[in-house]
Amino acid sequence: MSLDAPPKAIAGPSSFIDDRIGAGNFLKRNLRKVFPDHWSFLLGEIALYSFVILLLTGTFLTFFYKPGMGEVAYQGSYPPLVGVHMSEAYASTLHITFDVRGGLLIRQIHHWAALLFVAGMMVHMLRVFFTGAYRKPRELNWLIGVLLLTLALLEGLTGYSLPDDLLSGAGLRITQGVAISIPVVGTYISFFLFGGEYPGHDVISRFYSLHILLIPGILLALISAHLILMWVQKHTQMPGKGRTDTNVVGAPFYPSFMAKSGAYFLFTFGVLALLGTVAQINPIWLFGPYTPADISAGSQPDFYMGFLEGALRIMPAWEINFLGYTLPLSVLIPALVPMGIIMTGLALYPFAEQWITGDKREHHLADRPRNNPHRTSIGMAAITFYGVLWLLGANDWISAKFHIPLYTTTEIGRVAIFLGPALAYFVTYRLCIALQRRDADVVSHGVESGVIKRLPSGEYIEVHVPPAEDLVEHMRGKQPIPAITAGPDGEGIPSNGMRSPIGRVRAKLSQTYAADTEAISLDGHGNGHGAHETPPAAVGAGEDGQKSIGH
Amino acid sequence: MTENPNDPGLPEERVPRRVLGTPPPGNGSALGAPVADAEPIVHEGVQFPDPATARKGERAAALLFLVAFLAGVGFVAAYVIFQVGSIDKVATSNMALGGTLAVALLALAAGIVVWVRMMMPKYSLVQERHTMASPPAVREEIGATFLQGANESGFVKYKLLRRTLLLAAAPLGLLPLVLLKDLGPLPGTTLRHTVWKKGMRLIVEGTGEPIRAADFNSPGGILSIVPEGHEDDLNALAKATLILIKFRPEDIKPGTKLNWTHDSIVAYSKICTHVGCPAALYEQTTHHILCPCHQSTFDAADGAKVIFGPAARPLPQLPISVDSQGYLIAQSDFAVPVGPSFWERGDAEAEARARGQA
Amino acid sequence: MNSITARRRHPLARYAVLLLALSLLGGVYALLAPGGDRADAAIASGKADDVAAGKDLFAAHCASCHGLNAEGTYSSGGASGPSLIGVGAAAVDFQVSSGRMPFANPAPQAPRKRPPEWVNPTTVRQLAAYVQSLGGGPTKPSLEEVDPAKGDPAKGGELFRANCIQCHNFVGSGGGLTYGKYAPDLNPATPTQIYEAMATGPQAMPVFNDSTITPEQKRDMIAYIVTMREQTDPGGNGLGRIGPVTEGLVAWIAGIGLLILAAIWITAKKRQVTHD
């Protein structure tokens, strides 16, 4: 049975709307918009749907939460705190937890969603980075993404402080310690933020307005812009059969992609509900109310702030006093530099790459990470940098649970923060080259079949069979990395710009960035691009070509 | 090339071509005519599953939807049945509500995926992309329009208007900043003082009782101390909290100011000089005070000097003595500002030494 | 997590606890009925035969480090131990009953472990009596003094947060200290051991003597620790109750992991046999 006319229930309202806003044209162009299919293209949706769930669960929480710092004696259903003096904020969070049906569940889903919101942004960002999907024309969307990540950290920080428990108070204290260390204006920032001395009576309600109004509002606007740009520019696609820089191959928005996206929203919500059911998060009743006099061992921030915590921990005690002023470098450097390196680096990378490669073309075909070894290595080095800091943010637990002396973990961290990224760069680079060579091998010689054959000469060889066509197409999607060889006009003589010191550095960088990738050709044989550089090891049993069949 | 009917290369006509009074196209639906141009359902790039698979998929999806329905009903039932109000009741309620919700959502999600994968066609549609940039002619036209508008407005021509307009805008931009001034008082010298003053008793945190020096008599003991009368004043506690340590006399090293101690009892600020966490992990064997946040370590026997970690300054020592009843009291406020460093702090330790306070 | 904590939320756990509490109550009664106070006093002062038996035990198991007369020894690199004169019976009971002493391997800190064969309540009592006879010190608390049911967990919680959590964490899960030392997990410790640890300050731990933290306050803290230990985690698995570190791990491994699996399932293509 199939439908041969739109049902009245849909046709009626559609006409009503179209008569008034002319939506038909838009729908005509977009209902069957094609979306390419790849599992990694759904990672951003984790963040998107987590945000939707954050808005829904957050609204529920605001119905019961009281952002007050006035002191009350707890009289609720959690016996070990009855009679204890605490802020209204903490008491109302306990009320949500123990006296509102579903309150604990929603609180836990909200917190898990916050973690998945940031984690989803991070994996999505890494996918975009490693596939080069930030390249022209998508730099703007990349910048919006970087902004979103920064705001998400801020949103997380403000939300984490709201229950006003002992653990979040420690985070707030550190935030204040960092704010007050800022040269010249630090004390003013701290006094304005906290309404006077720390902790004051204002910070919870101020963070509350930031957390539920200002930052989510900006996030919502930016997320909408992010999606509109994605829609207008169409999604990038992985290389493969029939896929080029000028088309997009995949499934239509209606009905296929719509259903898939809907299912993924439900999966995200379902996984969050599952986590909220089986895994306890932020058990504030165990922490107790905040007082600046107490602290728990192993006080940690949520994972996304862990790298800042780690940076503060491995920093040596540097502080400069001059002319009656103090520059607390042991706070300023770790609080600002890693965050600055990561966020600025992310924001500038698309433009830096464009400058280095001189590539001003539009790109819609994603790179496989191995096919741009320097980019991939830079990415892995950055992950290592972040990862070392993140790990060091939990060095007290690492020390306690794995019985490594505490200072040893710090000292290892101080070295690893420099060595780790370099090592990651080197290893990743070699891996990328090796993987490219394997691709070249597969394309030119096929894949091992596991069949051993004896030649009349007595020699044994393994029979190679041609690889599946879609795999080959996927591999052949590799594009050479452009490099600036001479002037932008393509003549052999370097332009004036390229003769300047900066120009020479640029040319050098450009050569390096593109090096080694042209050497490994995927166009079969002999297109002139240094096939001799393919080492014998990659070729298999001997003289290349002869022994593979079906080639 | 492109089989799908929605050619994105349509001219940018937002307004449907319609004449007033004529019936809307597509037999009254924005969804278009009822397959009027007989677009074949099956074409290249759309591959329908075989009917057997589709039927199997339908059964699986239907089963999953049924599970989702039951779980959804279960959620409502769990809300009604399981009350909260004690830890164990909350545990049951959370398990029941969360479990049914998770099952409902996941079953629904799985059902839709089964539907998409087994019953909907496999698509390999191709859509053309177009460069994002507008054609040069359009750009030129926009440029011309911009100039035309700018000139028509007179903004370029009338200097006085332009300058006064900019002048008028400048203070308006500053207003939000001005309005923020009352967010808090100015720091002044508040960061240099705490509530400690001569004669104020040391109160044990948690018990709320003052403490006699004679009662704090086990070497290796430590107490968290708050100022008398400020036990619940968080602003005061954020600067004035102390750790009180009892030493064996022979353990005290020269860094500790002996005339600020009483009977080998030493009081240090509990607020870490790094970013202000309460530095309170005390090891009585090594006399280390460790801050749990960033692991700054201070030698309590030696004036709380820093021996590891990011803190740059020792924990300030509070001068203490006893009153006539033997209770521990402060001799004065701290000689230097406590807690994290800030710009105006300067080398307060050197200044204190110059004043002869250290 | 040790086996007790892992099983404490087992459906049968509450019956086991009930049974344990009942037998404990019976034990307390039996101990107190025939003049328990006098017995305690005898231990405190060191009954003569206990002291003698304790001296033998000491010579056999402790003297190699602590010296034949418990005066303490020091040899760099070799076995050395502090003087035990004045540490009291409570210190002996804590160290030996928790298996920390005798100290087996050189390490920054003696770990809790299974006590050796010869350790039983009698030998511990004898050893404690001997050490008590050397120079006094804190004595072992009575069962009533450490009975969690008699304490006020809310008051204890405030004291616990003021004095304990900076090292032992907010529910007593423990934490790291300098040079390989650590604050141990409080969950395996018995109420008596918790009391003794506060009174004697074992190893790096500071002392909280009775004149600063009264026995009643200590009992309140014990009540809080035991309440926390036995308390259900209403939100599901407690994830080790160590805060955001394990939460982050779960978010990444379970959360992102499951969602990536879902994404792969949604987008996976069966490889087409025919290529068109």
Side-chain angles (χ1 to χ4, degrees):
Chain A
M1 192 184 91
S2 65
L3 225 53
D4 43 20
K8 253 207 158 77
I10 295 174
S14 318
S15 313
F16 178 88
I17 291 169
D18 188 49
D19 285 348
R20 280 151 190 85
I21 64 171
N25 243 1
F26 174 79
L27 287 180
K28 184 180 172 194
R29 273 182 284 130
N30 285 296
L31 265 182
R32 295 287 273 189
K33 189 176 186 72
V34 169
F35 279 83
D37 238 0
H38 192 270
W39 66 268
S40 69
F41 295 170
L42 292 180
L43 295 176
E45 295 188 20
I46 298 177
L48 174 66
Y49 299 141
S50 296
F51 183 71
V52 173
I53 293 157
L54 282 168
L55 290 183
L56 295 175
T57 51
T59 306
F60 178 86
L61 294 176
T62 61
F63 294 157
F64 304 97
Y65 173 76
K66 294 183 181 65
M69 294 176 88
E71 195 177 272
V72 294
Y74 180 68
Q75 297 301 342
S77 306
Y78 182 67
L81 285 175
V82 170
V84 173
H85 289 245
M86 56 183 65
S87 67
E88 284 173 287
Y90 185 66
S92 67
T93 315
L94 287 174
H95 175 75
I96 293 172
T97 306
F98 292 108
D99 297 298
V100 175
R101 272 181 286 178
L104 176 63
L105 181 68
I106 299 295
R107 244 198 74 223
Q108 299 209 112
I109 292 179
H110 190 76
H111 204 122
W112 282 118
L115 296 195
L116 281 199
F117 180 48
V118 184
M121 286 172 119
M122 286 178 175
V123 286
H124 170 61
M125 184 192 75
L126 291 175
R127 195 281 297 170
V128 169
F129 181 84
F130 285 121
T131 59
Y134 54 79
R135 289 174 295 176
K136 190 180 172 187
R138 294 183 178 77
E139 305 99 317
L140 282 179
N141 231 9
W142 172 259
L143 286 179
I144 292 177
V146 174
L147 213 53
L148 279 170
L149 183 61
T150 319
L151 283 169
L153 298 186
L154 213 56
E155 177 73 347
L157 179 78
T158 48
Y160 174 81
S161 306
L162 292 183
D164 203 21
D165 57 276
L166 193 55
L167 185 65
S168 74
L172 201 57
R173 175 82 235 202
I174 296 168
T175 311
Q176 189 262 348
V178 169
I180 207 170
S181 76
I182 297 170
V184 188
V185 293
T187 46
Y188 293 87
I189 290 178
S190 172
F191 270 63
F192 288 168
L193 182 61
F194 290 89
E197 286 199 83
Y198 176 85
H201 298 281
D202 298 321
V203 68
I204 294 288
S205 54
R206 287 179 185 175
F207 272 23
Y208 186 59
S209 352
L210 295 180
H211 181 75
I212 69 159
L213 185 68
L214 185 64
I215 305 174
I218 304 173
L219 279 173
L220 191 61
L222 287 177
I223 288 173
S224 309
H226 201 70
L227 289 178
I228 291 170
L229 280 185
M230 183 275 294
W231 189 279
V232 168
Q233 295 177 331
K234 300 196 179 85
H235 208 284
T236 51
Q237 59 188 345
M238 287 292 178
K241 184 173 153 55
R243 297 178 190 173
T244 68
D245 251 334
T246 57
N247 71 6
V248 48
V249 180
F253 176 75
Y254 173 76
S256 167
F257 187 75
M258 212 160 132
K260 287 178 187 177
S261 266
Y264 206 57
F265 169 73
L266 292 166
F267 268 124
T268 311
F269 202 171
V271 166
L272 286 171
L274 192 68
L275 285 173
T277 310
V278 301
Q280 181 165 292
I281 189 165
N282 202 24
I284 50 129
W285 58 92
L286 297 178
F287 304 149
Y290 179 62
T291 154
D294 296 338
I295 192 154
S296 167
S299 285
Q300 316 282 354
D302 274 350
F303 87 81
Y304 44 84
M305 286 289 167
F307 76 107
L308 286 177
E309 181 81 356
L312 282 164
R313 287 179 183 197
I314 61 171
M315 184 69 197
W318 295 351
E319 184 167 303
I320 299 173
N321 281 304
F322 63 98
L323 306 174
Y325 294 106
T326 300
L327 202 57
L329 294 178
S330 61
V331 183
L332 280 175
I333 291 179
L336 302 178
V337 172
M339 182 94 160
I341 290 178
I342 291 169
M343 292 300 177
T344 320
L346 284 173
L348 292 184
Y349 197 85
F351 306 101
E353 189 183 70
Q354 241 171 54
W355 184 73
I356 287 171
T357 57
D359 186 3
K360 302 277 184 214
R361 295 168 301 166
E362 281 190 13
H363 290 275
H364 300 287
L365 214 49
D367 274 332
R368 297 172 77 208
R370 67 187 64 173
N371 289 339
N372 196 324
H374 282 287
R375 176 202 294 148
T376 306
S377 305
I378 290 170
M380 288 308 291
I383 290 178
T384 312
F385 177 76
Y386 181 90
V388 167
L389 291 178
W390 187 11
L391 215 57
L392 264 291
N395 71 334
D396 46 347
W397 283 120
I398 293 172
S399 165
K401 299 288 169 188
F402 299 101
H403 298 291
I404 304 165
L406 190 64
Y407 296 162
T408 311
T409 61
T410 312
E411 273 146 11
I412 291 173
R414 284 175 182 169
V415 178
I417 193 64
F418 297 108
L419 275 189
L423 194 69
Y425 189 96
F426 177 76
V427 170
T428 311
Y429 188 79
R430 296 320 309 172
L431 267 176
C432 287
I433 299 296
L435 285 169
Q436 281 196 44
R437 287 189 173 134
R438 205 186 67 180
D439 285 356
D441 187 36
V442 168
V443 169
S444 56
H445 306 302
V447 290
E448 292 165 359
S449 63
V451 177
I452 306 291
K453 196 170 159 188
R454 192 180 178 195
L455 296 181
S457 61
E459 189 187 359
Y460 287 96
I461 60 153
E462 184 178 2
V463 178
H464 281 58
V465 296
E469 195 191 354
D470 52 348
L471 273 183
V472 175
E473 292 289 342
H474 189 49
M475 290 172 183
R476 279 189 204 276
K478 176 189 169 187
Q479 292 165 324
I481 303 167
I484 305 165
T485 45
D489 44 359
E491 299 298 317
I493 308 144
S495 68
N496 279 337
M498 296 308 289
R499 276 198 299 253
S500 69
I502 294 176
R504 278 201 294 274
V505 170
R506 183 181 174 193
K508 184 87 190 134
L509 280 173
S510 190
Q511 295 297 332
T512 315
Y513 203 73
D516 267 13
T517 55
E518 279 178 276
I520 300 155
S521 162
L522 291 176
D523 301 336
H525 294 284
N527 67 345
H529 273 313
H532 59 278
E533 282 195 22
T534 312
V539 186
E543 311 90 301
D544 53 349
Q546 282 180 7
K547 288 154 199 161
S548 59
I549 58 170
H551 187 53
Chain B
M1 192 149 33
T2 162
E3 286 81 16
N4 62 327
N6 44 306
D7 184 1
L10 280 176
E12 296 286 314
E13 283 173 323
R14 302 298 301 256
V15 188
R17 277 194 216 130
R18 274 178 57 195
V19 182
L20 263 163
T22 58
N27 291 2
S29 166
L31 296 179
V35 229
D37 31 8
E39 178 78 33
I41 304 275
V42 183
H43 44 71
E44 207 192 337
V46 182
Q47 190 188 18
F48 277 89
D50 68 273
T53 314
R55 256 194 300 283
K56 221 166 81 189
E58 186 183 13
R59 278 196 297 274
L63 183 69
L64 285 163
F65 290 158
L66 217 58
V67 170
F69 167 75
L70 291 176
V73 172
F75 182 90
V76 179
Y79 187 86
V80 176
I81 294 167
F82 298 109
Q83 299 299 312
V84 290
S86 79
I87 300 166
D88 290 307
K89 281 180 177 173
V90 168
T92 314
S93 162
N94 191 63
M95 195 52 78
L97 289 175
T100 47
L101 181 63
V103 168
L105 293 167
L106 291 175
L108 196 54
I112 294 176
V113 176
V114 168
W115 175 23
V116 174
R117 288 178 61 81
M118 296 178 77
M119 301 166 72
M120 284 194 200
K122 298 256 174 296
Y123 293 96
S124 188
L125 303 183
V126 181
Q127 201 170 36
E128 289 304 299
R129 292 182 193 271
H130 305 272
T131 44
M132 297 311 301
S134 318
V138 175
R139 287 191 181 193
E140 260 169 49
E141 196 185 324
I142 291 171
T145 312
F146 169 77
L147 290 180
Q148 187 190 354
N151 290 328
E152 282 169 3
S153 74
F155 189 75
V156 186
K157 192 171 164 192
Y158 301 105
K159 260 190 216 160
L160 184 64
L161 172 105
R162 190 168 73 237
R163 288 181 183 163
T164 47
L165 180 61
L166 291 176
L167 189 71
L172 288 176
L174 282 173
L175 293 194
L177 283 177
V178 172
L179 276 174
L180 291 180
K181 164 61 193 71
D182 275 356
L183 278 175
L186 295 180
T189 58
T190 41
L191 289 168
R192 299 192 166 267
H193 310 293
T194 71
V195 294
W196 286 113
K197 59 176 192 280
K198 189 173 169 58
M200 188 181 272
R201 277 184 181 168
L202 275 60
I203 304 292
V204 178
E205 192 201 349
T207 70
E209 301 294 327
I211 172 111
R212 279 196 180 85
D215 289 338
F216 191 47
N217 54 6
S218 301
I222 179 179
L223 283 174
S224 185
I225 296 293
V226 295
E228 185 181 26
H230 298 275
E231 292 87 345
D232 287 324
D233 178 355
L234 298 191
N235 282 10
L237 294 186
K239 288 192 302 186
T241 310
L242 305 177
I243 39 175
L244 195 67
I245 303 172
K246 170 79 176 176
F247 288 98
R248 286 176 194 82
E250 65 271 22
D251 285 341
I252 298 183
K253 291 183 207 159
T256 313
K257 292 167 196 83
L258 277 177
N259 54 347
W260 287 5
T261 66
H262 175 83
D263 192 20
S264 304
I265 298 172
V266 188
Y268 291 113
S269 165
K270 196 181 184 181
I271 309 303
C272 185
T273 54
H274 178 223
V275 286
C277 291
L281 284 76
Y282 180 63
E283 299 173 4
Q284 64 137 322
T285 43
T286 55
H287 311 302
H288 288 171
I289 300 171
L290 174 69
C291 177
C293 287
H294 307 104
Q295 289 127 24
S296 297
T297 312
F298 306 88
D299 186 350
D302 198 7
K305 71 167 191 207
V306 181
I307 52 176
F308 192 83
R313 288 175 291 105
L315 297 170
Q317 190 184 343
L318 184 77
I320 53 167
S321 67
V322 288
D323 63 12
S324 54
Q325 291 164 287
Y327 286 107
L328 286 165
I329 54 165
Q331 285 184 31
S332 69
D333 195 0
F334 288 98
V336 296
V338 301
S341 297
F342 50 93
W343 175 250
E344 299 90 339
R345 187 180 191 281
D347 194 348
E349 280 73 12
E351 288 165 30
R353 273 194 298 276
R355 285 199 307 270
Q357 270 185 291
Chain C
M1 279 275 126
N2 64 68
S3 56
I4 296 176
T5 28
R7 284 182 200 138
R8 66 171 187 258
R9 278 178 278 285
H10 192 273
L12 292 178
R14 63 187 61 175
Y15 299 109
V17 169
L18 196 69
L19 213 67
L20 204 70
L22 281 174
S23 53
L24 213 68
L25 205 67
V28 173
Y29 181 71
L31 208 77
L32 292 178
D37 289 338
R38 262 182 292 129
D40 278 354
I43 292 170
S45 61
K47 226 161 48 181
D49 43 345
D50 272 359
V51 171
K55 190 170 168 58
D56 292 344
L57 285 166
F58 191 87
H61 300 292
C62 317
S64 59
C65 296
H66 292 289
L68 269 173
N69 299 309
E71 75 280 14
T73 63
Y74 180 76
S75 68
S76 58
S80 46
S83 161
L84 298 184
I85 294 163
V87 301
V92 176
D93 188 68
F94 173 81
Q95 298 283 0
V96 181
S97 73
S98 70
R100 289 187 167 83
M101 292 291 148
F103 196 6
N105 307 308
Q109 185 170 328
R112 186 185 190 89
K113 60 181 185 293
R114 235 183 116 85
E117 292 291 309
W118 61 267
V119 173
N120 59 49
T122 314
T123 51
V124 174
R125 192 189 68 225
Q126 291 166 341
L127 206 53
Y130 168 65
V131 172
Q132 185 77 28
S133 73
L134 296 175
T139 55
K140 188 179 169 182
S142 71
L143 284 178
E144 201 201 334
E145 279 179 296
V146 300
D147 185 358
K150 293 199 166 69
D152 176 350
K155 272 191 191 145
E158 300 208 64
L159 287 161
F160 186 71
R161 284 189 287 276
N163 293 300
C164 313
I165 63 168
Q166 62 263 43
C167 300
H168 290 286
N169 144 296
F170 47 83
V171 286
S173 301
L177 295 173
T178 63
Y179 298 112
K181 297 190 290 297
Y182 56 91
D185 186 355
L186 298 183
N187 285 316
T190 65
T192 305
Q193 286 166 350
I194 295 171
Y195 188 101
E196 288 165 346
M198 287 189 267
T200 63
Q203 309 199 36
M205 178 165 162
V207 186
F208 298 91
N209 64 9
D210 286 354
S211 49
T212 48
I213 305 282
T214 64
E216 289 73 38
Q217 289 167 338
K218 289 194 174 83
R219 186 165 62 188
D220 290 345
M221 285 200 253
I222 290 168
Y224 184 75
I225 295 166
V226 172
T227 306
M228 286 296 118
R229 179 192 293 184
E230 287 168 357
Q231 183 175 299
T232 319
D233 281 323
N237 187 301
L239 307 181
R241 290 176 162 188
I242 63 165
V245 172
T246 40
E247 292 164 8
L249 280 178
V250 169
W252 276 93
I253 295 168
I256 296 291
L258 283 172
L259 285 171
I260 284 180
L261 288 180
I264 290 173
W265 185 38
I266 290 177
T267 55
K269 285 190 183 65
K270 287 195 199 79
R271 182 152 290 156
Q272 307 280 309
V273 186
T274 52
H275 290 284
D276 42 7

